[in-house]
Amino acid sequence: MTNSNPQMKAVTIPAFGAADVLRLDEVPAPEPGPGQVAIDVAYAGANFAEVLYRQGVVDVPLPFVPGIEVSGRIRSVGAGVEGLTVGEPVAALTIVDGGGYGQVVTTSAELVVPLDAYDLGLDTAAALPSNSTTAFLVLDRVARLRSGESVLVHAAAGGVGSQLGQAARLLGAGRVVGTVGSPAKIETARGFGYDEVILRDQLSGAGEFDVVVDMVGGPARRASLDALAPMGRLIAMGNASGAEDVGISANELWFTNKTVSGFNLAAFSAAFPAAAGRALRQAVAAAASGDLRVQVEVLPLTEAAEAHRRIESGSTTGKLVLDVGGAGTV
């Protein structure tokens, strides 16, 4: 990226802090390198990961343009890129380097899925690359879910939780249970593929599970380990509660035949972009066919701070998406 590049509008993190630090700026538009594409962004998903960037929990260079997933149209392609055409609509993971809150973003061509073959709105397409891709990767590649197994998902009404229940069903799970933090979210979560939805503090009476996916952390992580059946797998993939880390004894895992694994989409996408791209294609196809439902609420890019505040408060259900294309043209 050089100062000779055309300018674009982007929401930046100029300093770590509360949501109010987010600022709409003009910055140079990026150009694709070898193996990359540049995308004119239509919509960008808003995620808890971007809150962590803004808070400084994840160390990023400042000023930083957040945004881990987008939809839009191919603007240009870098050397060596095949199968992607300028102007075609796409969904893309931009999680490795961020940048989705800008009018133009670059990412690896392996993390881009063309949308021409699918009847899918760009607003919905922007909601798929992070949460829906994560759902399929976590259950299939990490948990190695087998047909008929039982699954428990925390934060079942949230962005990734809303996808995990449905993905578990599509991958052949038997009993699928979700937990939520308040009674107001129970009915919403029930619409996302769960047999049962319970309050998180009622987990002790819910029985045993083959797979538990925990993005909440704190007391929920300890309770999740206790809820595992023999040979059960706990997947730790977040700490939305902000609680202190929970220590897990290796001897306890040895004696009880339980497994704990971690999953981080950014690290996975950097190390295995082709596998992440395949999971994104799976998510796009499932959403386009109606097998995967995504509840989307669109906010203008200028309300990125409001999106962050709502995500931090835990009040969101489904997915918040920012209208980046409405910010103007580059």
Side-chain angles (χ1 to χ4, degrees), residues 203 214 217-228 234 246-249 252 258:
L203 178 55
D214 173 32
R221 188 145 300 160
R222 179 68 250 181
S224 298
L225 186 64
D226 293 340
L228 285 181
L234 168 61
V246 176
I248 296 174
S249 164
E252 179 182 356
K258 297 178 180 181

Side-chain angles (χ1 to χ4, degrees), residues 83-101:
L84 293 170
T85 305
V86 171
E88 72 178 324
V90 294
L93 267 170
T94 54
I95 193 168
V96 175
D97 296 310
Y101 286 17

Side-chain angles (χ1 to χ4, degrees), residues 18 28 40 118 121 134 159 171 173 175 195-196 206 208-209 243 281 285 302:
D40 283 319
Y118 302 104
T134 292
L171 293 171
R175 183 185 179 217
D195 295 309
E196 308 163 51
E208 292 185 330
F209 296 89
R281 286 192 290 276
T302 53

Side-chain angles (χ1 to χ4, degrees), residues 51-201:
V51 171
L52 297 180
Y53 297 154
R54 193 205 73 229
Q55 292 173 336
V57 175
V58 178
D59 188 23
V60 294
L62 299 180
F64 183 72
V65 180
I68 66 174
E69 59 181 343
V70 303
S71 67
R73 293 184 178 274
I74 297 292
R75 177 184 179 90
S76 58
V77 300
V81 173
E82 298 179 355
L84 293 170
T85 305
V86 171
E88 72 178 324
V90 294
L93 267 170
T94 54
I95 193 168
V96 175
D97 296 310
Y101 286 17
Q103 290 178 291
V104 180
V105 68
T106 58
T107 192
S108 167
E110 292 184 293
L111 299 176
V112 177
V113 174
L115 299 175
D116 283 326
Y118 302 104
D119 182 14
L120 199 62
L122 287 177
D123 54 347
T124 299
L128 298 171
S130 174
N131 293 337
S132 305
T133 300
T134 292
F136 284 108
L137 284 172
V138 163
L139 292 170
D140 184 28
R141 179 117 180 195
V142 184
R144 302 187 184 277
L145 179 67
R146 296 186 292 271
S147 179
E149 288 191 314
S150 56
V151 176
L152 175 77
V153 176
H154 290 300
V160 69
S162 71
Q163 302 302 284
L164 279 159
Q166 298 179 82
R169 280 274 176 249
L170 293 173
L171 293 171
R175 183 185 179 217
V176 183
V177 177
T179 77
V180 293
S182 69
K185 294 185 177 183
I186 290 176
E187 286 305 316
T188 299
R190 281 179 177 156
F192 291 123
Y194 293 98
D195 295 309
E196 308 163 51
V197 178
I198 60 175
L199 294 176
R200 201 162 297 126
D201 58 11

Side-chain angles (χ1 to χ4, degrees), residues 27 41 65 76 81 150 155 174 193 203 213 227 265 273 279 298 314 318 320:
V27 301
V41 179
V65 180
S76 58
V81 173
S150 56
L203 178 55
V213 184
L265 182 60
V298 178
L320 294 178

Side-chain angles (χ1 to χ4, degrees), residues 227-251:
L228 285 181
M231 300 306 295
R233 289 88 72 199
L234 168 61
I235 315 302
M237 48 170 286
N239 187 36
S241 67
E244 292 295 322
D245 195 14
V246 176
I248 296 174
S249 164
N251 282 346

